[in-house]
Amino acid sequence: DEIRILSCDFAFVNKEENDNSSSTLLRLMPQKLGVRFDDGSHTASTGYRIVVPYIEADPGSHIDNQALRIKRLFYDMNCDYVVLDARNGGILVYDRLAQVLYDSERDCEYPPWECFNDDNTARRIVTPGSVPCAFVITASAKLNSDIAMLMRDVITSNRLELLVGHQTALEEVLPNIDEYTKAPDGETLFFYERPYVETQALISEMIGLEYQKNPTTGDIRLYETGSNKKDRYSSLSYGVYLASL
């Protein structure tokens, strides 16, 4: 009963220097969620424990390159849904994903996808045989606030599981992987180490975020300062939002 979500936040070559495109894999594991009330009574509902085994973040690149990378990740990791940030150029990435994509390096075609949560987006490109797996987010101030509060709840309730730190992985995890210990080059070593490095970067991003509360609406706005980023946080949080739905 596991559900896998690939959640994507976009940056592009013409954006400011501190933006990355970030993709995050979320594995949703069903579990019973127990709640105790003040009067001593209990209730239980079914929810998901969210495990995050893979993150990658790179500087913004061409729309076609990002669409191809998303298709590869989606099928390599046997995902069920993809979450896309539709702001700015993100909707153009969706347009590419809604068409058949040919991968010349792997010599294969990827089927077209269709947005299943927004009819206007789904009507942008209609391709026969498309797979309704795309969840598109056009975030507003209210939705971003709700997602921030949801992230806090998922973390404080211990329903979010991240990878161990990079140093712990080097000492306890990676030595058990033959492909890592027998790696012929640095590129292979980096392939196995990267998810742990990216996870540490995610945690640093979240620690470094500042927030403001709108005195009128009560909405929370998270923002980065200086050279800090929040692309990994955004990618993860959008996936957590779909998980909550």
Side-chain angles (χ1 to χ4, degrees), residues 226-238:
S227 61
N228 294 329
K229 302 178 177 65
K230 67 181 182 74
D231 311 290
R232 295 175 184 86
Y233 160 80
S234 296
S235 173
L236 172 60
S237 67
Y238 293 154

Side-chain angles (χ1 to χ4, degrees), residues 51-245:
V51 181
V52 183
Y54 187 80
I55 304 169
E56 67 176 39
D58 294 294
S61 63
H62 192 275
I63 289 170
D64 290 338
N65 295 335
Q66 296 198 53
L68 181 59
R69 183 59 182 161
I70 291 169
K71 291 277 191 178
R72 285 179 174 178
L73 288 173
F74 185 90
Y75 289 107
D76 285 353
M77 299 191 291
N78 296 317
C79 295
D80 300 290
Y81 301 103
V82 62
V83 178
L84 306 170
D85 175 14
R87 294 171 303 169
N88 304 318
I91 193 64
L92 300 180
V93 178
Y94 169 80
D95 288 348
R96 301 296 196 278
L97 296 171
Q99 304 172 60
V100 175
L101 277 185
Y102 175 67
D103 187 337
S104 59
E105 184 177 324
R106 298 186 180 187
D107 189 25
C108 67
E109 284 187 347
Y110 298 111
W113 294 344
E114 179 183 335
C115 174
F116 67 85
N117 69 304
D118 184 275
D119 290 340
N120 289 330
T121 301
R123 283 193 290 265
R124 286 177 63 89
I125 294 181
V126 178
T127 308
S130 59
V131 181
C133 64
F135 182 86
V136 172
I137 290 182
T138 305
S140 62
K142 171 60 176 171
L143 180 57
N144 280 332
S145 177
D146 291 343
I147 290 175
M149 300 301 290
L150 177 64
M151 279 290 292
R152 185 179 71 171
D153 176 63
V154 166
I155 292 170
T156 57
S157 62
N158 295 318
R159 288 187 285 128
L160 180 66
E161 296 184 12
L162 302 177
L163 293 178
V164 297
H166 182 220
Q167 189 60 42
T168 301
L170 290 175
E171 295 171 357
E172 300 179 13
V173 181
L174 296 172
N176 299 313
I177 301 175
D178 286 344
E179 292 85 353
Y180 177 81
T181 58
K182 299 175 182 177
D185 51 48
E187 184 177 347
T188 303
L189 292 174
F190 179 68
F191 173 81
Y192 284 97
E193 292 180 27
R194 183 177 186 180
Y196 301 95
V197 176
E198 294 280 10
T199 299
Q200 287 190 181
L202 165 69
I203 294 171
S204 296
E205 273 189 18
M206 293 196 291
I207 291 173
L209 289 175
E210 301 287 343
Y211 81 95
Q212 290 179 336
K213 187 172 184 178
N214 187 310
T216 304
T217 65
D219 291 343
I220 298 294
R221 183 178 77 87
L222 296 179
Y223 61 95
E224 63 268 61
T225 58
S227 61
N228 294 329
K229 302 178 177 65
K230 67 181 182 74
D231 311 290
R232 295 175 184 86
Y233 160 80
S234 296
S235 173
L236 172 60
S237 67
Y238 293 154
V240 168
Y241 174 61
L242 177 56
S244 73
L245 297 180

